[in-house]
Amino acid sequence: MTQPLILSPRYCLDDEINWLEGIDPLRHYWLAVNGNQQLTVVIAGLCVSSSQELKEVILGFRALQPQQTMVLKGSFGKLTIHYLSPNCYAIEGRVKSALTWHLFDKETLESLLLTSHPDWVPSQRDIELGRRLLESAFEQPAYAV
């Protein structure tokens, strides 16, 4: 069975628009939706405890077949990857509370996953994103159980 050709735009490393805001120290992916800097979403990224675990995840990612899904543990939540068709993957996320799929090519998504390596060091700009995420957590109402 042949896979349908997906003509939808997807995030690529060589895009002219700057869609990747950064990756914070907890490995959240900060994306400007379709390059719109006013609409940034934060997606839980991959978090591993060892190089061996990262190797297993990457090999599992490369072994995916079209129409398969891979669920990985994120730093705070899960990272669900859908393999739609050759060179087209989707990650679930939320934009203004609506469930969305962000489309990526294989090289880009694999590069994002590789930032979970235990030796990866975030840039100063990425550390600032982590601070912004922490600040936004303090803005949320506290719930008593």
Side-chain angles (χ1 to χ4, degrees):
M1 178 165 121
T2 62
Q3 299 302 317
L5 175 65
I6 296 182
L7 298 176
S8 298
R10 60 201 81 168
Y11 298 114
C12 299
L13 290 176
D14 57 358
D15 278 345
E16 292 180 14
I17 58 172
N18 187 18
W19 56 269
L20 181 62
E21 293 288 316
I23 303 167
D24 68 28
L26 294 175
R27 308 314 199 265
H28 291 102
Y29 308 138
W30 291 64
L31 309 176
V33 178
N34 296 325
N36 181 351
Q37 304 297 324
Q38 305 304 317
L39 185 57
T40 301
V41 296
V42 181
I43 299 173
L46 176 63
C47 188
V48 297
S49 56
S50 68
S51 298
Q52 181 60 34
E53 186 180 355
L54 175 61
K55 181 179 178 180
E56 291 168 9
V57 168
I58 294 298
L59 291 175
F61 171 72
R62 290 177 180 168
L64 280 176
Q65 297 298 313
Q67 311 308 316
Q68 286 185 328
T69 300
M70 182 178 202
V71 180
L72 305 167
K73 68 173 182 164
S75 49
F76 291 99
K78 64 180 180 177
L79 173 63
T80 304
I81 299 171
H82 302 274
Y83 184 10
L84 304 177
S85 70
N87 207 28
C88 187
Y89 297 81
I91 292 182
E92 292 179 3
R94 293 214 172 261
V95 175
K96 296 184 179 179
S97 301
L99 182 62
T100 57
W101 281 9
H102 302 279
L103 302 180
F104 296 87
D105 67 1
K106 184 176 184 173
E107 177 186 18
T108 301
L109 189 50
E110 190 169 312
S111 295
L112 289 175
L113 294 174
L114 287 172
T115 63
S116 68
H117 191 281
D119 293 337
W120 179 78
V121 178
S123 69
Q124 188 60 39
R125 184 170 179 258
D126 292 334
I127 292 172
E128 193 57 40
L129 292 174
R131 287 188 182 120
R132 280 180 36 198
L133 188 63
L134 185 60
E135 288 172 3
S136 70
F138 284 117
E139 294 171 1
Q140 301 299 319
Y143 295 101
V145 181

